Structures are given as C-alpha cells and as structure tokens.
Amino acid sequence: STGAVKMQPKAEELKFVTKNDGYVHIHPSSVNYQTRHFESPYLVYHEKIKTSRVFIRDCSMVSVYPLVLLGGGQVHIQLLKGDFVISLDDGWIRFVAASHQVAELVKELRCELDQLLQDKIKNPSVDLCMCPRGSRIIGMIVKLVTTQ
C-alpha cells in the first residue's frame, strides 16, 4: 500500500543496442512503438534509418532459441565464470545455458538444421516433413521453441 511502484518506461525512453550503431530507438511509425515491455531483450528488424537519431522499423521481438537456431554466424560454447555461454556473431550475442549438456544439444541441433537446409537447397523437391531425419529435426525445433 505504500512505497514506490515500478513504472514501465515510456516508448521514447526504450533503447536497444546494435553492434555497429550503438543505441537505436523504435521508430514512432512502428507498430511496436507503444510497446513498453518486451519479454525478450532481442529484436530483429528490417529497416534502420537515421534522422534525429538512429531508428529501427519493421521490428519483432525474438526469443533466445529461435535466435540461436536461425541467427547468423557460427554457434560457439565457452565456460565463463562457471557458466556455459552460447555465443553468436563472434560473441556479440550471448546466452547462459542451463548446463554444458544443454549448450551442446542446442549447438548440435543448430548444426543439424543447417545441414538439413543445405540438403534442401541441393534437392528442392525433398519434403523435409516427410523424410524421417527432417521430420525429427523439425519436430524437435518446434517442441523447443513452443515450450521455451
């Protein structure tokens, strides 16, 4: 009944960081401009513009597993201060894994998905959902992402 109540930041106060531009803001014309809280601190965006400051448009929040599985660059695992860290993009994006086993399984799933996509590129007529290997990999990814 007394004390301070934590307030969500105003839309214009939200800042995100990119590797090359530092702080960026969601553009006022974006659907997400009025969003004051994101469950994940990661956004993907289509367009970046610079006017009075750097803005992003056409952005969507993305959670950890889709980012690790579908993000660019190689997945690396390292032990830092007792935690197993999964990193992407030369260490720019990092996540702490629950255990070494979880980190290795996620890395292996990413490798399997990359190989599956390479196979699809080589042979576009293959139905990945009908082949046993493809359906297992896709099923595991769907389960992981939907139960996150």
Side-chain angles (χ1 to χ4, degrees), residues 59-70:
C59 61
S60 295
M61 184 200 74
V62 63
S63 54
V64 173
Y65 287 124
L67 190 58
V68 171
L69 294 172
L70 301 168

Side-chain angles (χ1 to χ4, degrees), residues 5-111:
V5 176
K6 185 176 180 182
M7 299 288 291
Q8 295 293 339
K10 294 178 183 173
E12 61 271 6
E13 295 173 340
L14 276 181
K15 294 186 274 188
F16 295 90
V17 180
T18 66
K19 187 175 182 178
N20 297 326
D21 297 297
Y23 288 112
V24 298
H25 302 267
I26 298 175
H27 194 274
S29 68
S30 175
V31 171
N32 284 324
Y33 181 70
Q34 291 300 321
T35 303
R36 298 170 82 183
H37 174 73
F38 293 94
E39 293 295 320
S40 171
Y42 302 102
L43 296 180
V44 293
Y45 61 89
H46 175 68
E47 184 178 31
K48 182 172 51 173
I49 59 171
K50 184 174 183 179
T51 55
S52 59
R53 52 188 170 176
V54 180
F55 291 99
I56 56 174
R57 287 199 283 212
D58 305 324
C59 61
S60 295
M61 184 200 74
V62 63
S63 54
V64 173
Y65 287 124
L67 190 58
V68 171
L69 294 172
L70 301 168
Q74 295 292 319
V75 175
H76 299 281
I77 300 170
Q78 54 190 163
L79 181 62
L80 293 174
K81 298 180 183 177
D83 291 322
F84 290 97
V85 177
I86 301 170
S87 64
L88 297 168
D89 198 18
D90 299 325
W92 170 246
I93 301 171
R94 294 181 293 180
F95 312 98
V96 175
S99 67
H100 185 248
Q101 183 180 16
V102 168
E104 289 294 338
L105 288 170
V106 169
K107 182 179 178 181
E108 185 62 28
L109 187 57
R110 166 67 186 263
C111 291

